Amino acid sequence: MSNKSVLIVEDTPINLKMVRVIMQRAGFDVRTATSAEEALEVLRHFRPRVVLTDIQLPGIDGLALTKHLKSSPDTRDIIVLALTAFAMKSDKQRALEAGCDGYITKPIDTRTFPDLIRQFIGATDDAASISESASTRDAAPFDFSLDNLKQSFIANGMQQSERFVNSLNTDFNYAEVQSEAHRWAGAAGQIGYVEIAECARQLEALLHQRGTDSLTLVRKTLMRLVQLFSGAREAAGPVRP
Ligand code: MN
């Protein structure tokens, strides 16, 4: 088992890409999965030192994945770190109860993230095995241009949110809109669109309740998202191919 191998489990594409790029640049051997089910499949052939897992995942969530890994002699030595969007005490508590070795709140700090992971590895391994740590390799500030990611996120968000508004009177799909709202919340928070993240989180919570009386509020929140996406698009300038 390489000391610098990591499996990232994250269902939000922008977050997955960002963590992958950061860890690869820091010299880690990286694999990725967008669900716990896929992660288990990857783990049949790849034994990472660290699993970084989002807590909220479609299907089996990150906590259940952690319990599973910690209950098997084959995988219990893997360091499992939970990634979560909320700095809620209850989430932290639940992560630790599930057996996570640590807990990292999103949005992550791209400059210090690899060192943070190394610290978790260092705390677990004996000091000798981490002699080649930190500092030299990525001493330069991490400069990750997000322009293209941001623009495609905004363009896609505008298109989808308008489509969802139009579907309200016809074939509104609660599950689809809820999972899209979850992705918006996670991605927008990570790339700095705080208002979109907040609004998407409200929408996700509303749809989670699924009361028919909340449909007016769902419509209002969706319209607000259309506005926010459109405002962000104007601020971001023309979309490049
Ligand atoms: Mn998620």
Side-chain angles (χ1 to χ4, degrees):
M1 151 154 67
S2 160
N3 206 24
K4 296 194 82 178
S5 52
V6 58
L7 170 62
I8 305 161
V9 192
E10 166 68 79
D11 65 319
T12 304
I14 286 178
N15 294 354
L16 180 62
K17 182 170 183 180
M18 184 180 291
V19 177
R20 177 171 58 76
V21 171
I22 291 167
M23 294 305 282
Q24 280 173 341
R25 290 198 188 178
F28 281 80
D29 182 13
V30 180
R31 298 288 192 286
T32 63
T34 57
S35 68
E37 290 85 343
E38 192 187 343
L40 292 173
E41 189 59 35
V42 172
L43 286 170
R44 289 170 57 182
H45 312 286
F46 179 67
R47 189 44 46 91
R49 189 70 193 89
V50 178
V51 167
L52 283 170
T53 184
D54 184 23
I55 288 186
Q56 280 192 285
L57 293 166
I60 301 173
D61 70 12
L63 298 177
L65 173 65
T66 303
K67 280 181 195 156
H68 183 87
L69 295 178
K70 291 298 179 183
S71 68
S72 161
D74 272 356
T75 50
R76 73 161 56 114
D77 290 338
I78 298 174
I79 300 167
V80 181
L81 303 175
L83 288 166
T84 174
F86 303 99
M88 285 172 60
K89 274 183 186 165
S90 62
D91 267 8
K92 182 172 188 174
Q93 190 59 32
R94 289 192 309 141
L96 298 177
E97 276 166 13
C100 290
D101 298 280
Y103 168 95
I104 299 168
T105 303
K106 294 188 280 190
I108 61 169
D109 181 336
T110 56
R111 278 177 291 188
T112 56
F113 192 73
D115 275 347
L116 186 61
I117 304 305
R118 288 193 192 95
Q119 281 169 24
F120 277 111
I121 296 173
T124 309
D125 297 356
D126 54 328
S129 66
I130 54 154
S131 51
E132 57 129 3
S133 73
S135 58
T136 48
R137 189 192 288 266
D138 50 1
F142 186 77
D143 179 20
F144 186 47
S145 169
L146 286 169
D147 287 356
N148 285 332
L149 278 177
K150 279 186 168 181
Q151 284 181 348
S152 63
F153 171 73
I154 292 301
N156 184 267
M158 249 183 91
Q159 199 182 27
Q160 292 285 80
S161 56
E162 279 172 359
R163 183 169 72 80
F164 293 153
V165 170
N166 291 332
S167 75
L168 274 165
N169 295 321
T170 53
D171 54 348
F172 189 72
N173 183 332
Y174 277 86
E176 185 198 1
V177 180
Q178 189 184 333
S179 75
E180 189 68 20
H182 174 75
R183 282 195 294 272
W184 284 337
Q190 182 62 60
I191 59 182
Y193 291 116
V194 180
E195 278 181 295
I196 293 177
E198 187 53 40
C199 198
R201 216 165 273 143
Q202 285 168 10
L203 180 63
E204 187 188 2
L206 277 174
L207 293 170
H208 184 68
Q209 294 160 8
R210 286 225 187 161
T212 42
D213 54 332
S214 66
L215 211 59
T216 312
L217 210 49
V218 168
R219 177 188 298 274
K220 209 174 140 192
T221 311
L222 263 174
M223 302 279 276
R224 173 87 181 122
L225 273 168
V226 171
Q227 272 181 3
L228 289 171
F229 278 122
S230 140
R233 181 160 190 178
E234 276 159 32
V239 177
R240 280 172 292 178

